[in-house]
Amino acid sequence: MKSRSIISSGRFGKVGTGFVALFGFLGAMLIGSSLLAAVPQDQRHIGEEILLEALLGPRQLMVRVATGGCTGKDSFKVEMVKMPSASPQSAPHYVLTLNRIKSDDCKAFFPNGTPVLFDLEKELGLTGIFTYSLANKIYSPPGTGASEESFFGIIKKYFTIKN
């Protein structure tokens, strides 16, 4: 006895094929949306920024962020949380989070984003002895190296770092 698929039999015909296509499309959307959660938002996203790069120094913080051509320092607010000290003698520790507060609706193409520099004392009010860390995620796409415009590309070009 031959076994026949309900969808391929004449009983459901084009309707059955449509259901298969619809379920396939919905499945691809679910898988695709979970993969997209790992990529940075575009420059129109408001909220915690997924960074393209970050360079933390003792008195300055530089990040590279997505842009359409109109992103600047005023596009962001830096949230600072002072953490409890391990001991009375230890320096205070701050956890910084860069949040986008202004959408960039410009349509220029900047695949490497744009750098934004923050002075920790003048702009964020951090003075004296302290430690800090950054809470934002940093996007690391597979198979890409540092471009010449990236922070690491510039460091590699002008400095010799021995392993």
Side-chain angles (χ1 to χ4, degrees), residues 1-155:
M1 173 183 228
K2 275 187 168 176
S3 126
R4 290 178 31 179
S5 164
I6 294 175
I7 294 173
S8 64
S9 73
R11 287 178 89 173
F12 293 100
K14 291 181 182 176
V15 174
T17 304
F19 278 124
V20 169
L22 176 64
F23 286 122
F25 175 75
L26 291 175
M29 290 298 291
L30 286 172
I31 292 169
S33 65
S34 67
L35 293 174
L36 288 176
V39 299
Q41 306 94 348
D42 68 8
Q43 68 274 8
R44 292 174 190 88
H45 170 82
I46 301 295
E48 186 175 332
E49 187 78 359
I50 296 179
L51 308 174
L52 302 176
E53 278 189 291
L55 187 59
L56 286 67
R59 297 289 172 221
Q60 295 179 321
L61 163 67
M62 186 184 302
V63 294
R64 186 174 298 275
V65 295
T67 184
C70 298
T71 295
K73 194 181 300 189
D74 64 336
S75 302
F76 300 96
K77 179 179 181 194
V78 179
E79 175 187 326
M80 293 187 301
V81 176
K82 185 175 182 180
M83 303 303 289
S85 296
S87 71
Q89 298 83 10
S90 63
H93 180 77
Y94 298 90
V95 177
L96 309 182
T97 306
L98 188 70
N99 293 303
R100 187 178 286 267
I101 58 170
K102 187 173 161 187
S103 177
D104 178 347
D105 295 322
C106 294
K107 295 178 173 61
F109 181 63
F110 292 94
N112 296 320
T114 189
V116 179
L117 177 68
F118 295 94
D119 184 291
L120 298 178
E121 182 177 349
K122 292 177 184 171
E123 295 167 334
L124 304 180
L126 295 176
T127 59
I129 298 172
F130 60 89
T131 61
Y132 77 102
S133 57
L134 194 59
N136 296 73
K137 295 176 176 98
I138 300 174
Y139 178 56
S140 179
T144 59
S147 71
E148 287 186 14
E149 300 86 27
S150 74
F151 302 152
F152 287 100
I154 293 167
I155 290 168

